[in-house]
Amino acid sequence: MAETLVPAHPFGDLWRDARHGRMDGAPGVTLTSKLMRTMAEVACFAVDDSLLSTAIGATRAKGGAFGFRTGPQRAFIACSHDDMIPQLKSLIPVSRGAVIDQSHGRVAIRAQGPDVEWMLAKLFALDFDIRAFKPGTGVASAHHVVFALIYRESDTAFTLFPHRSFARDFLGALVRAGEERGIVVDA
Amino acid sequence: MMRLSQGGRIDRSKTLHFTFDGKAFTGHPGDTLASALAANGVRLFGRSFKYHRRRGLLGAGIEEPNALVTVIDNGVREPNLPATLVELKDGLIAESQNRWPSLGFDMGAVNQLGAKVFGAGFYYKTFFGPFRSTRVWHFFEHFIRRAAGLGAAGDVPDPARYERINAFCDMLVIGGGGAGLAAALDAAKAGKRVIVCDLAPVFGGRMNWTGETEKRDALLAALDATGNARLLPRTMVWGHYDGNTFAAIENVASHRQSLPGEPRHRHWVIRAGAVVLATGATERPLVFPGNDRPGVMLANSMLRMAAEFGVAPGETFGMFTNNDSAYHAAAALAAFGPRCVLIVDLRRSVSAEMRAIAIRLKAELRTGHAVVGTTGSAGLNGVHVAPVDAECHVTGTEKLFAVHALGMSGGWNPLIGLAAQQGQKPGFDDTLQAFMPPALPAEWRTVGAVAGVGLPAPAPVLMVRPKKPLDKAFIDFQHDVTDTDIDLAHREGFIAVEHLKRYTTLGMATDQGRTSNVAGIARMAELLGKTVGETGTTRFRAPFSGVSLGSIAAERFGHIMPNRLTPMQDWHTANGGDTYAAGLWHRPMAYLKPGETLEQAYVREAKAVRQAAGLVDVSTLGKILVQGPDAAEFLDRVYTNMMSTLPVMKARYGLMLREDGLLFDDGTAWRLAEDEFLVTTTTANAGKVMEHLEFFLDCIWPDLGCVVTSVTDHWGGMALAGPKARDILSTCVTGAAVDNAALPHMGIVHGVIAGVKVMVARLSFSGERAYEIYAPSGHAQRVWDAVMAAGAALGLVPYGLEALGTLRVEKGHVTGAEIDGRTTADDLGLGGMLSKKKPFIGSAMAYREGLVRDGRLQLVGLKSLDGRALNGGAHVVENAAPQEPAESLGHVTAACFSPAVNAYVGLALVRDGRKRIGQNAFLADPLRGIHMPVAIVSPHMIDPDGSRMHG
Amino acid sequence: MRIPCPFCGLRDGVEFSYQGDANRTRPDPVSVDQTVWNDHVFNRVNTRGVHREFWLHNHGCRAHLVVERNTVTHEIVSVALARQFVLERKP
């Protein structure tokens, strides 16, 4: 069935092992990508409905998963399991909200390294200092018209979720922004 | 001028090579281009704007108005750079400007002969005066344009990289001199995140030339130790915007070779919680005849040249001043070797302390005197000095003093620009004779010289008035504005300070009046009998000083729109797809076979669709999931027709109107469940429709239990159309029947193709029996491959936008070309879709008089009568004569060759179009010389009863 | 300009798009009184001073906000979620 099929790789030619820009010293940023088999939005009719936290909690309990609020009525989840959508639908009654399958709507790019804040500051009008953007939190923003969700995993690691149709362009923008300090694509 | 053997922060152990106007020179790290040239004895740096007068250095930093150069790097020209701000690097190539054929022998100097005529308003008075209504202006325009401007822009593409970056801080300190660094240190020690910007390569400001380098180093070390401060040298903050947002330009690598991946300039957008303005103050000149002769400098700039850059002004120097700071500068400068031979002070009485300095320096002191003229052809060699009264009128005979250099000081101007860019008016301080920072928001503070700290109190006089001046006295050096220009403006009625500025161009040059505004305003104030404060300044605007366009553009040049790709993009490219960007999305126009033109390709594809089958990528359509118990009710309010009556697993074509009753978008709603609809929109309107729906749910009907979510990227889509479409579909779909009973027109089924769960809706855009197949994007290519394989034996072809357009034109199906914001549903023949049973967005305004009257543009078809192609935008007219087409009856919205009709056809919006069907008319496109006969026909050129679709 | 989105926090103006005057009440959709509808769709008071308006946090959480903003000084006086503002406003 479709769940066992591997989705087409979204990134194109730029996704190969290579270092770009500054070649000497340790790279400022390394990019990797992990396949998220399930990605979904949970939307509730009421602002700050507790079901949003319930959905996030259920996803994170699976381990290695992402779940964070993206709006007053919205949450985003991403994990490597196939069966999250039915589980989420069972948590959200129709009278209170809805679950939207976005498993193919977004892609996940992980950016990690000592200069990751510097690089991301070129693309997003966000304060990436760790005092302002704490590990374990996620935000919704955009680079020009390319919407992206951004989740901070640790001091030096972020995972970004742009829309699939912009994946190649967004990867190109990340690589270009990282060239100043040296950026590695670890395909 | 000459190099001192000691002193300055230059590294005499290293030598840098550079050229200026083709001549080779050497300098040292730490030099600016100006200091290196001066050290080599160069006195002539440029020619002035209007009069082409010989000019030398006036200042040592950002206050410099004369020495504008062009730096050339790999053929790329960067003009209008003050030589005092160009860091010397090995291999630098620079040229002077505004002179021909050379700086030394400049033909432009002939302008000086006509100097009396070239005052303010010269062009207007000449060409609207005696030469009004003649074509004389057009003849002279050519020469005037060549003479205009200072530097020349280059035309070689600039390969440098420019970037922008965002920054946030608790405190932004603008200016890294002593006061700024101290403020930054206090905040950083208290745990605040601080950013300090300074336009110089080193921090410390004046500390670099008052010998306080140890104090500077201690401050910098302490700041570093806090771990809370980001220091940005070579960074000029140039704009202040709402919300304490600032624009700054960092010169990352103009002064050296760029490293790989490194930008040349970086545009910073800094958001600050609190702001400390520590921008300091610049000295201003005195206005007297011959004050622009090379060798006349600002007094403290002369000192800075020696103290920071190790360059002496000459063996001897003099000072002309109206305040005490020139004396201190003289004493400090003399310590480096040059002899101060003369101090001329406008003030009748000076303090004992100043007198003592003059005595110690063994300088002749003339109080109550003024410099009334300068001499020297290659550069200054003497000054004429005469006694003056309190208003600076000359009262006695003049005496000539020999001197190599003259420092002048008319007082100090705090650099308040950034604090006034939001429109607040600065006040004038009578003691300091200067405009001070205006009332500031609570989060702002001013420290140091910009707040007036340490500034001397000058005499309130800036202009010297000899009875018979022997030379021009300059107020604005860069724009060649003289004292007489101010008087002229006053005589001619341009007395408001904003008019004075535009009429004389005072303060309009790249230095934005930093050394000139106050003298000009003071003179106008005097003529008006007002105070300087009452006369006021002109409005301060960003940028504070010159900024490269590259830095502002950053990554946004060339192909600036991001590329949005469908899941089948690579297949299109590999199979002859001639893709182009329709907005953001890349879509194939057609799949060209070798030797085919575009028209041949799309005609072949369209024909194949009507005769066999075709497959087109429709992934770009907007797809919005509408969910909730009130989803159906919401769609009833949003669409013109009923959606709540749509059965589950059926689709319905729908129209949306704007609130003003005009047509907004068309699309299809698929009911996937009782409370779940998938709404499609046109590609171009996807974002707008989404916002439209979100607005109504948030701001008008927040009580509805309904949410909308864009799923455009999640689903890849393809349309399989043609008489063979059902057969092809049935061979590749499992899990669902697709015969006419199971999947009637507008039905939906869930099925599987190549192992992928898909949704199939039987919809037609082309007029053929057609099916839209939606698969999750990551599997869409697999599905596309399977359909193509299934259809290979039956003549299935891929088709692109051009064929898609042709098919829909033949069918008369409207798109955004007809839904252009000016048409109603009825105009396009869709008036029957407006329900009378319920209100919906736009229903209240849709029947306004103007929207239902006769004479509106209505949708029709057009057929070429002479075998020529129609062109989009051409006007429909009744007259046969090309030279008198008469009035436009409408215009062509789409045009193509139709294989089904075997003629060139189009769609058009024509006045009372439906009544004109059956008549002939003409297309007029005078700009392209086209005038051709057409027939007005029904827009539904094939299958008007829809039997091909519904069977 | 920076707007403090109630959900996302202080964000740059570039993330938001203006969605019109928030001082109007939409007429009864069943009504076809042209004067009332013309007024609602076309006429606006051009306030000099504090103006209440809708903004969409387009590049962030996509919530609509009701913002009170001074059209002269550009000061943002207050921000609230539009749906809460509208729900509380209904009788």
Side-chain angles (χ1 to χ4, degrees):
Chain A
M1 288 282 91
E3 285 81 2
T4 58
L5 293 171
V6 177
H9 198 79
F11 293 118
D13 289 341
L14 199 48
W15 196 256
R16 53 187 161 73
D17 288 332
R19 176 163 173 160
H20 302 269
R22 189 172 186 155
M23 293 299 183
D24 58 293
V29 177
T30 300
L31 298 179
T32 53
S33 176
K34 192 174 162 196
L35 175 63
M36 295 284 136
R37 294 213 70 110
T38 300
M39 287 186 279
E41 282 184 58
V42 177
C44 289
F45 307 132
V47 168
D48 289 333
D49 193 319
S50 59
L51 284 178
L52 295 166
S53 303
T54 308
I56 291 169
T59 310
R60 283 191 172 174
K62 301 280 245 185
F66 300 89
F68 51 98
R69 292 282 303 278
T70 55
Q73 302 164 264
R74 302 256 170 184
F76 174 80
I77 65 99
C79 69
S80 45
H81 300 272
D82 287 327
D83 57 352
M84 261 333 280
I85 301 279
Q87 195 176 332
L88 289 171
K89 286 191 169 169
S90 69
L91 283 172
I92 314 290
V94 165
S95 57
R96 278 171 74 179
V99 177
I100 301 97
D101 189 347
Q102 295 279 26
S103 303
H104 291 257
R106 294 190 186 260
V107 298
I109 304 177
R110 187 170 191 268
Q112 184 274 326
D115 292 320
V116 69
E117 286 181 15
W118 178 258
M119 177 191 81
L120 292 175
K122 296 187 189 186
L123 300 176
F124 298 98
L126 295 174
D127 192 350
F128 286 98
D129 186 289
I130 198 157
R131 287 166 277 194
F133 194 153
K134 297 183 173 42
T137 57
V139 301
S141 189
H143 170 60
H144 295 314
V145 297
V146 181
F147 300 133
L149 301 173
I150 306 169
Y151 182 81
R152 183 175 209 146
E153 296 175 37
S154 70
D155 280 29
T156 57
F158 290 81
T159 296
L160 302 110
F161 300 91
H163 283 295
R164 177 179 266 267
S165 59
F166 286 114
R168 291 187 199 181
D169 224 63
F170 188 70
L171 175 64
L174 283 174
V175 168
R176 190 169 170 83
E179 282 175 341
E180 187 184 5
R181 301 279 171 96
I183 184 163
V184 164
V185 174
D186 184 355
Chain B
M1 304 192 91
M2 67 273 272
R3 179 76 77 190
L4 295 163
S5 57
Q6 292 183 60
R9 59 176 180 81
I10 54 170
D11 182 356
R12 290 175 178 76
S13 72
K14 296 196 178 68
T15 302
L16 303 176
H17 299 268
F18 67 100
T19 70
F20 182 62
D21 282 348
K23 193 169 162 208
F25 295 95
T26 61
H28 303 294
D31 262 327
T32 62
L33 176 61
S35 65
L37 285 170
N40 278 278
V42 171
R43 302 194 87 174
L44 183 58
F45 280 77
R47 290 283 183 162
S48 73
F49 181 46
K50 257 198 305 203
Y51 303 118
H52 289 253
R53 289 167 69 105
R54 304 165 69 90
R55 290 285 170 83
L57 293 173
L58 187 82
I62 199 170
E63 69 280 5
E64 175 55 42
N66 292 327
L68 298 189
V69 302
T70 296
V71 170
I72 301 154
D73 199 343
N74 279 320
V76 178
R77 304 180 69 89
E78 193 170 5
N80 293 348
L81 298 170
T84 51
L85 294 183
V86 175
E87 271 185 85
L88 195 68
K89 73 174 177 186
D90 205 37
L92 182 80
I93 301 170
E95 290 178 359
S96 60
Q97 302 180 158
N98 199 41
R99 79 292 183 269
W100 181 84
S102 74
L103 194 51
F105 181 74
D106 175 25
M107 294 294 285
V110 73
N111 283 1
Q112 293 174 53
L113 298 174
K116 264 193 138 38
V117 185
F118 289 150
F122 156 72
Y123 293 133
Y124 183 84
K125 291 170 188 165
T126 305
F127 296 109
F128 283 85
F131 294 112
R132 180 189 221 101
S133 308
T134 69
R135 292 186 60 79
V136 168
W137 158 242
H138 294 286
F139 173 74
F140 281 100
E141 184 184 0
H142 170 75
F143 302 102
I144 291 168
R145 286 200 188 282
R146 292 196 64 187
L150 286 162
D155 53 15
V156 170
D158 183 354
R161 175 192 289 231
Y162 299 87
E163 288 187 350
R164 66 181 273 156
I165 194 164
N166 298 288
F168 298 77
C169 60
D170 298 314
M171 174 181 282
L172 174 64
V173 177
I174 307 171
L181 290 177
L185 184 59
D186 281 345
K189 276 197 209 157
K192 304 263 184 259
R193 288 191 290 155
V194 182
I195 295 178
V196 189
C197 296
D198 197 288
L199 65 87
V202 295
F203 284 86
R206 291 178 60 116
M207 290 191 283
N208 288 300
W209 39 289
T210 54
E212 295 170 277
T213 49
E214 276 181 25
K215 181 177 165 196
R216 169 199 74 192
D217 292 340
L219 276 169
L220 291 171
L223 262 173
D224 192 52
T226 64
N228 282 330
R230 197 207 301 251
L231 266 54
L232 299 178
R234 299 186 178 87
T235 303
M236 173 183 63
V237 179
W238 54 262
H240 165 223
Y241 301 94
D242 289 332
N244 284 336
T245 303
F246 291 85
I249 180 169
E250 178 189 358
N251 187 347
V252 180
S254 299
H255 58 291
R256 55 174 173 75
Q257 296 305 315
S258 294
L259 300 168
E262 190 180 43
R264 179 165 170 266
H265 291 162
R266 197 189 321 274
H267 172 61
W268 287 81
V269 181
I270 306 172
R271 295 100 178 147
V275 181
V276 172
L277 190 70
T279 46
T282 55
E283 207 166 21
R284 59 193 179 216
L286 289 161
V287 182
F288 58 92
N291 64 344
D292 69 326
R293 194 175 302 276
V296 180
M297 282 186 78
L298 292 169
N300 277 271
S301 300
M302 216 157 69
L303 166 62
R304 184 179 174 192
M305 273 301 209
E308 189 168 358
F309 300 107
V311 178
E315 279 184 34
T316 64
F317 68 95
M319 291 294 195
F320 177 27
T321 183
N322 67 1
N323 67 85
D324 289 353
S325 67
Y327 291 79
H328 298 297
L333 180 54
F336 288 95
R339 275 187 304 122
C340 180
V341 299
L342 173 70
I343 299 179
V344 180
D345 199 320
L346 286 177
R347 299 171 292 178
R348 187 161 300 279
S349 71
V350 300
S351 67
E353 193 194 336
M354 297 306 117
R355 288 191 180 278
I357 291 175
I359 290 168
R360 225 172 30 246
L361 294 174
K362 299 193 175 60
E364 294 233 28
L365 178 62
R366 293 280 185 277
T367 61
H369 277 63
V371 173
V372 298
T374 58
T375 64
S377 53
L380 186 74
N381 63 19
V383 295
H384 293 279
V385 178
V388 293
D389 65 14
E391 279 83 48
C392 232
H393 297 107
V394 173
T395 56
T397 50
E398 35 185 85
K399 186 180 170 190
L400 178 65
F401 287 84
V403 74
H404 291 115
L406 180 74
M408 55 178 173
S409 182
W412 290 78
N413 297 329
L415 290 170
I416 62 172
L418 282 170
Q421 280 181 1
Q422 297 270 292
Q424 311 90 321
K425 291 203 171 306
F428 190 74
D429 183 307
D430 285 319
T431 307
L432 296 177
Q433 287 289 297
F435 286 97
M436 304 304 290
L440 296 167
E443 319 85 42
W444 280 62
R445 237 187 339 133
T446 54
V447 297
V450 73
V453 174
L455 295 185
V461 203
L462 284 170
M463 281 174 62
V464 177
R465 296 162 226 272
K467 289 192 204 60
K468 286 195 177 59
L470 291 170
D471 200 353
K472 287 187 176 314
F474 286 89
I475 291 186
D476 187 322
F477 289 74
Q478 196 166 113
H479 264 180
D480 267 353
V481 176
T482 64
D483 55 350
T484 54
D485 284 328
I486 312 296
D487 291 31
L488 177 67
H490 175 260
R491 276 203 304 282
E492 304 203 348
F494 295 95
I495 56 177
V497 71
E498 295 281 3
H499 289 158
L500 166 65
K501 171 180 174 178
R502 274 84 181 169
Y503 193 63
T504 61
T505 75
L506 168 76
M508 291 180 71
T510 69
D511 62 339
Q512 290 288 287
R514 262 184 279 290
T515 50
S516 58
N517 276 345
V518 174
I521 294 164
R523 176 59 183 155
M524 180 58 81
E526 188 181 11
L527 291 166
L528 295 174
K530 287 179 163 179
T531 66
V532 179
E534 283 166 342
T535 310
T537 64
T538 53
R539 171 72 188 258
F540 290 84
R541 293 193 177 88
F544 174 75
S545 185
V547 171
S548 67
L549 279 177
S551 69
I552 298 172
E555 73 281 4
R556 292 167 299 179
F557 70 96
H559 178 64
I560 61 172
M561 297 308 286
N563 302 301
R564 204 166 178 187
L565 307 176
T566 74
M568 281 76 82
Q569 169 66 28
D570 291 340
W571 191 96
H572 300 323
T573 314
N575 285 276
D578 185 7
T579 55
Y580 91 117
L584 299 182
W585 286 102
H586 286 241
R587 310 180 70 178
M589 286 198 285
Y591 299 86
L592 270 62
K593 290 197 182 339
E596 269 189 330
T597 65
L598 182 60
E599 184 177 297
Q600 288 169 335
Y602 81 70
V603 168
R604 171 181 54 76
E605 289 170 10
K607 203 184 271 184
V609 173
R610 296 228 188 269
Q611 290 172 356
L615 189 63
V616 63
D617 182 350
V618 295
S619 304
T620 64
L621 294 175
K623 306 170 211 61
I624 302 172
L625 206 55
V626 183
Q627 296 166 295
D630 293 327
E633 168 63 26
F634 177 59
L635 292 179
D636 273 351
R637 298 184 188 183
V638 164
Y639 278 110
T640 63
N641 46 336
M642 298 301 291
M643 288 302 172
S644 55
T645 54
L646 185 60
V648 175
M649 297 308 275
K650 286 284 190 288
R652 182 168 290 168
Y653 179 64
L655 297 182
M656 290 185 196
L657 303 190
R658 301 193 313 225
E659 282 273 56
D660 65 356
L662 274 90
L663 193 49
F664 175 34
D665 199 54
D666 70 333
T668 327
W670 306 16
R671 192 169 202 162
L672 300 175
E674 186 63 31
D675 45 29
E676 185 167 308
F677 291 77
L678 179 69
V679 163
T680 69
T681 75
T682 61
T683 301
N685 275 344
K688 280 199 215 162
V689 171
M690 188 70 193
E691 285 189 17
H692 177 78
L693 299 178
E694 286 170 321
F695 176 82
F696 275 87
L697 282 175
D698 266 355
C699 303
I700 309 293
W701 304 311
D703 50 325
L704 286 180
C706 179
V707 287
V708 294
T709 311
S710 166
V711 291
T712 304
D713 282 73
H714 177 78
W715 294 102
M718 58 206 84
L720 173 63
K724 297 280 191 348
R726 180 183 293 145
D727 294 338
I728 295 167
L729 197 62
S730 61
T731 62
C732 54
V733 172
T734 59
V738 296
D739 56 280
N740 195 31
L743 188 48
H745 188 60
M746 305 309 280
I748 307 168
V749 296
H750 291 298
V752 176
I753 297 178
V756 179
K757 283 191 191 159
V758 298
M759 293 192 294
V760 181
R762 190 169 148 193
L763 307 165
S764 183
F765 186 60
S766 57
E768 295 306 309
R769 186 181 311 136
Y771 302 85
E772 283 191 11
I773 304 165
Y774 280 15
S777 303
H779 302 314
Q781 181 66 60
R782 179 186 229 98
V783 171
W784 175 280
D785 290 342
V787 176
M788 287 299 301
L794 293 170
L796 176 65
V797 301
Y799 65 104
L801 276 189
E802 295 292 298
L804 184 67
T806 301
L807 295 167
R808 77 98 184 169
V809 165
E810 290 172 334
K811 180 64 184 164
H813 190 108
V814 299
T815 65
E818 292 79 36
I819 308 175
D820 66 0
R822 298 171 294 185
T823 50
T824 66
D826 185 71
D827 292 342
L828 303 186
L830 298 168
M833 288 187 66
L834 269 59
S835 168
K836 297 282 199 276
K837 290 187 266 182
K838 51 139 188 174
F840 48 86
I841 296 173
S843 61
M845 303 276 276
Y847 301 100
R848 289 184 283 150
E849 201 182 308
L851 298 184
V852 299
R853 61 171 172 76
D854 288 338
R856 285 190 63 83
L857 298 183
Q858 294 175 336
L859 179 68
V860 295
L862 294 178
K863 187 171 154 189
S864 169
L865 291 176
D866 68 354
R868 279 190 283 174
L870 283 60
N871 59 316
H875 290 272
V876 178
V877 298
E878 282 178 323
N879 269 15
Q883 62 274 22
E884 287 179 35
E887 61 177 335
S888 169
L889 298 176
H891 61 274
V892 176
T893 61
C896 60
F897 181 82
S898 161
V901 175
N902 199 31
Y904 282 101
V905 300
L907 293 176
L909 291 167
V910 172
R911 198 190 305 162
D912 291 320
R914 293 196 280 271
K915 288 200 193 115
R916 292 178 193 265
I917 292 175
Q919 295 172 11
N920 286 352
F922 294 88
L923 280 194
D925 185 355
L927 216 51
R928 293 177 185 80
I930 296 173
H931 198 92
M932 53 183 276
V934 290
I936 300 178
V937 301
S938 163
H940 308 298
M941 300 174 214
I942 59 118
D943 193 38
D945 60 3
S947 52
R948 291 177 79 89
M949 288 198 303
H950 288 101
Chain C
M1 176 182 65
R2 300 165 79 189
I3 299 179
C5 170
F7 183 82
C8 304
L10 195 58
R11 294 280 190 100
D12 255 29
V14 73
E15 292 195 354
F16 300 84
S17 60
Y18 180 72
Q19 298 297 318
D21 191 324
N23 293 302
R24 313 170 288 147
T25 310
R26 193 164 185 265
D28 180 358
V30 172
S31 154
V32 290
D33 183 335
Q34 290 303 290
T35 311
V36 169
W37 272 101
N38 270 331
D39 212 51
H40 173 71
V41 172
F42 294 116
N43 293 335
R44 301 285 180 272
V45 176
N46 192 10
T47 306
R48 180 185 166 88
V50 179
H51 184 242
R52 184 187 287 138
E53 50 200 37
F54 288 123
W55 285 83
L56 166 66
H57 194 180
N58 208 340
H59 289 171
C61 63
R62 294 198 74 85
H64 280 82
L65 310 176
V66 172
V67 176
E68 285 188 314
R69 184 181 65 93
N70 189 314
T71 57
V72 177
T73 66
H74 302 171
E75 183 200 350
I76 306 274
V77 175
S78 76
V79 184
L81 284 179
R83 60 186 310 123
Q84 284 177 328
F85 172 84
V86 173
L87 281 168
E88 278 151 33
R89 192 175 64 177
K90 282 187 190 303

